[in-house]
Amino acid sequence: MFLSRFKILKDCDNFDGKESYQSKLVGGNRNESHDPSEEPVEVQNCKTTGDSEPCNESVEVTVVQNLDALLDEDGDLDLIRRPLDVSDTDQLEFYRLMVHPVILSKGEEGTREVEDQYDSYPDVIRIEHTMATPLEDVGKQVWRAALLLADYILHNHFIFKNCTALELGAGTGITSIAMATTAKTIYCTDVGDDLLNMCEKNVTLNRHLAEQMGEIQVKELDWLQSDFCLDPEFPYSWSEDEIASLHDDTTVLLAADVCYDSSLTDALFRTIYKIMSNLKNPSTLYISIEKRFNFTLRHMDITCEAYDHFRSCLNDLEHITDGKTKFTVESVPITFPQHLDYERFEHLELWKVTASPVST
């Protein structure tokens, strides 16, 4: 189990989404304590005239000092990494608060031993998660598409001010937590006791993010079931009043990187249709996805089946003609600034689905 801290970047207008802020810190201040001997040696091809001996252009020149000192006991090259030269205190604090997983260990009585020095910062999201899981537990990881959707929310916070939102397949809850910095109420839903417990823990870890943090209610919502869980003995069940409030007040739905299995994707879109077509108010779904390529024996080629099925479901949703709800689908350009430090690349996508009643 790991605990990661995600710093919400405030000054991110010049962040291009590809260059990590960490790389900007590695350079340090090159104007102080500069030693020319530490500069790399640049060797260029040379040509001479006259009686001088010509340089052989194919010769590689390598300058190595104290080679033996650079080898370990097995004879392997042991490189000494140059330490970060961060003299500015603010930069050092910034560096420490980037995404660095901290291993959580449990003592004899199950207490967690974690460094809490930076855990009360109002611009740091803390997420407990795992690094690798079997397919059935993928919700316990933090995925790039979830950070992308959180980015969009943080940048467009004015759109979601005081709204009521429902997240489907919330996993660790990081997107719902980002939404809670601006929304009034968030229903953060998924399935499975362990995952919901982790999500509830992450909600508790991030109560410090805003002076008036939105209310996050962690609930079970199983796409394979036709009804909400009403079992009063289950801690993540729904009450009749909560279900009524969901339908009366919700205007925003969220889903981040939840389309990796065709049968679950079908169930997701059935759930989306059922909920959005029964909400009291027009609503908008924001769904992020990472396009993943795999080699399949069936096609004997590299394919993107999960993504292709997702796009097919989007198309089917847009062309539903039930006489009740009209769905409009559009792609959201990934041009907004990056507020969280992660690798944003061309295979991340964000889609917007708007549901409105059919005018009669």
Side-chain angles (χ1 to χ4, degrees):
M1 193 69 68
F2 294 82
L3 179 71
S4 288
R5 301 180 181 94
F6 298 85
K7 181 175 177 62
I8 301 174
L9 308 177
K10 302 298 185 183
D11 184 15
C12 56
D13 290 338
N14 296 321
F15 193 54
D16 61 8
K18 295 181 180 178
E19 180 183 5
S20 169
Y21 266 77
Q22 286 184 355
S23 65
K24 296 183 179 180
L25 293 176
V26 170
N29 189 345
R30 301 294 295 174
N31 295 323
E32 297 182 6
S33 304
H34 177 66
D35 184 354
S37 65
E38 295 180 356
E39 293 294 328
V41 177
E42 181 178 356
V43 179
Q44 299 178 339
N45 294 333
C46 60
K47 294 182 180 180
T48 61
T49 59
D51 296 332
S52 301
E53 292 292 329
C55 293
N56 189 342
E57 294 183 12
S58 64
V59 174
E60 295 182 0
V61 181
T62 305
V63 179
V64 179
Q65 296 180 347
N66 300 324
L67 178 60
D68 292 340
L70 297 177
L71 302 179
D72 63 16
E73 58 184 10
D74 297 322
D76 298 321
L77 187 62
D78 188 10
L79 295 178
I80 301 175
R81 297 184 182 273
R82 179 170 61 84
L84 290 176
D85 182 16
V86 183
S87 57
D88 184 75
T89 303
D90 292 337
Q91 280 194 323
L92 182 58
E93 292 293 301
F94 176 84
Y95 172 75
R96 288 175 176 171
L97 291 172
M98 300 306 292
V99 184
H100 293 296
V102 177
I103 298 177
L104 297 179
S105 59
K106 290 187 177 181
E108 294 182 358
E109 298 182 358
T111 57
R112 301 193 179 278
E113 302 168 359
V114 184
E115 179 188 1
D116 293 328
Q117 183 177 357
Y118 305 102
D119 290 348
S120 60
Y121 278 52
D123 55 355
V124 177
I125 298 176
R126 296 189 295 159
I127 297 295
E128 185 175 308
H129 63 98
T130 58
M131 298 295 275
T133 61
L135 186 62
E136 60 268 21
D137 287 329
V138 292
K140 295 179 180 178
Q141 299 184 53
V142 177
W143 299 99
R144 275 182 294 235
L147 297 172
L148 176 72
L149 185 50
D151 256 350
Y152 183 80
I153 293 167
L154 293 170
H155 182 64
N156 296 283
H157 56 89
F158 54 91
I159 297 177
F160 309 107
K161 189 69 173 178
N162 293 324
C163 76
T164 295
L166 166 68
E167 183 175 10
L168 303 169
T172 62
I174 187 170
T175 306
S176 287
I177 291 167
M179 177 61 86
T181 61
T182 185
K184 179 181 179 180
T185 304
I186 305 93
Y187 295 102
C188 178
T189 70
D190 215 308
V191 64
D193 291 5
D194 289 346
L195 184 55
L196 292 170
N197 288 336
M198 175 184 286
C199 191
E200 183 74 44
K201 173 67 179 296
N202 286 331
V203 170
T204 302
L205 285 173
N206 290 280
R207 295 292 185 191
H208 63 283
L209 281 178
E211 292 182 0
Q212 295 181 339
M213 190 80 168
E215 180 187 10
I216 302 179
Q217 297 189 32
V218 178
K219 299 291 182 182
E220 180 181 80
L221 185 55
D222 190 343
W223 309 336
L224 299 176
Q225 301 296 323
S226 57
D227 296 316
F228 293 89
C229 176
L230 297 173
D231 182 2
E233 300 298 322
F234 185 58
Y236 302 109
S237 64
W238 298 75
S239 68
E240 294 288 353
D241 288 343
E242 288 169 339
I243 296 174
S245 176
L246 171 72
H247 287 99
D248 289 345
D249 302 329
T250 299
T251 57
V252 176
L253 285 82
L254 308 170
D257 215 346
V258 292
C259 296
Y260 52 87
D261 175 87
S262 294
S263 60
L264 287 177
T265 300
D266 290 339
L268 167 67
F269 275 86
R270 287 194 298 268
T271 302
I272 289 171
Y273 169 74
K274 180 180 178 181
I275 292 178
M276 295 185 76
S277 61
N278 285 284
L279 294 178
K280 181 179 179 180
N281 301 300
S283 58
T284 303
L285 164 70
Y286 297 91
I287 182 166
S288 60
I289 189 170
E290 179 176 334
K291 189 187 298 184
R292 294 182 175 88
F293 299 88
N294 298 288
F295 180 85
T296 63
L297 292 176
R298 184 174 59 164
H299 297 93
M300 293 301 293
D301 198 0
I302 296 175
T303 64
C304 201
E305 290 187 312
Y307 174 80
D308 291 342
H309 190 72
F310 161 74
R311 291 296 303 273
S312 175
C313 290
L314 269 183
N315 182 70
D316 291 344
L317 183 65
E318 187 172 27
H319 290 90
I320 287 178
T321 54
D322 61 358
K324 181 180 179 182
T325 307
K326 176 178 174 55
F327 293 91
T328 304
V329 177
E330 60 181 298
S331 175
V332 178
I334 312 299
T335 55
F336 46 90
Q338 191 165 332
H339 292 259
L340 300 170
D341 187 45
Y342 63 98
E343 182 186 8
R344 183 188 285 185
F345 65 143
E346 66 271 19
H347 299 307
L348 287 174
E349 295 183 0
L350 179 60
W351 292 84
K352 177 180 178 181
V353 180
T354 303
S356 56
V358 174
S359 56
T360 57

